[in-house]
Amino acid sequence: MLTVQIDVKNDIIGADSEPMYQFFGMNYVAPEQIQNALASAKANEDIEIDIDSNGGEVSAASQIYSMLKAYPGQVNVFIQGIAASAASIIAMAGDKISISPTAQIMIHKCLAATDSANADELRQMAAQNDSVDIGIANAYMLNWDEPK
């Protein structure tokens, strides 16, 4: 059976960041690219996602995760180097997840940056981060097999 290979080997970004990456000639992975690759697959063709990425924007990774989970065929993920941060979320979309013995997965709590904020805004940002952390943890837990 044929397999469509999709590389996730650069920064994961959303549509708002694409113009800057394009202007500077920087490589990236965006939800639209993954959507196009999935659309090009023939009926239920297997998909192989090869990951070596330091991550990026969690909202873009969440979109990619959702697209892969909705794909009707088999999604196989192979972590070749590192699936860090947002890339680890994408890795969890696989029906089968494999990792090279020399590769790594790096997870952490959600990060947010602010130039300035008052106490109310900081509390709201912390609550939003907590919500994002719960969503990410849900993706990890869906792929957790209890030791036998």
Side-chain angles (χ1 to χ4, degrees), residues 8 18 31 36 51 62 65 74 80-81 84 88-89 95 119 130-131 138-139:
V8 176
E18 283 188 73
N36 291 341
I51 299 178
S62 178
Y65 171 90
Q74 177 82 14
Q80 297 176 333
S88 71
I89 298 166
D95 297 309
D130 288 342
S131 177
N138 287 337

Side-chain angles (χ1 to χ4, degrees), residues 2 17 20-22 29 73 93 113 119 135-136 146:
L2 294 174
S17 299
M20 181 196 68
Y21 274 74
Q22 291 169 348
V29 175
I136 293 169
E146 288 292 327

Side-chain angles (χ1 to χ4, degrees), residues 11-18 21 55-62 85-87 89:
D11 292 345
I12 300 159
I13 64 167
D16 291 348
S17 299
E18 283 188 73
Y21 274 74
E57 298 176 23
V58 70
S59 60
S62 178
S85 192
I89 298 166

Side-chain angles (χ1 to χ4, degrees), residues 69-127:
K69 289 304 269 184
Y71 182 74
Q74 177 82 14
V75 176
N76 301 309
V77 171
F78 183 55
I79 302 168
Q80 297 176 333
I82 189 165
S85 192
S88 71
I89 298 166
I90 295 170
M92 295 301 107
D95 297 309
K96 179 181 176 190
I97 304 167
S98 303
I99 182 169
S100 166
T102 59
Q104 300 176 46
I105 297 176
M106 189 270 286
I107 62 174
H108 62 83
K109 293 185 90 172
C110 176
L111 301 175
T114 179
D115 290 335
S116 63
N118 66 35
D120 293 336
E121 293 165 330
L122 290 172
R123 278 189 277 279
Q124 180 181 5
M125 187 180 296

Side-chain angles (χ1 to χ4, degrees), residues 4-7 31-42 45 47 71:
V4 173
Q5 181 179 336
I6 301 173
D7 288 335
E32 183 179 359
Q33 295 169 328
I34 304 302
Q35 185 176 17
N36 291 341
L38 293 174
S40 73
K42 300 195 178 25
E45 191 171 23
I47 302 293
Y71 182 74

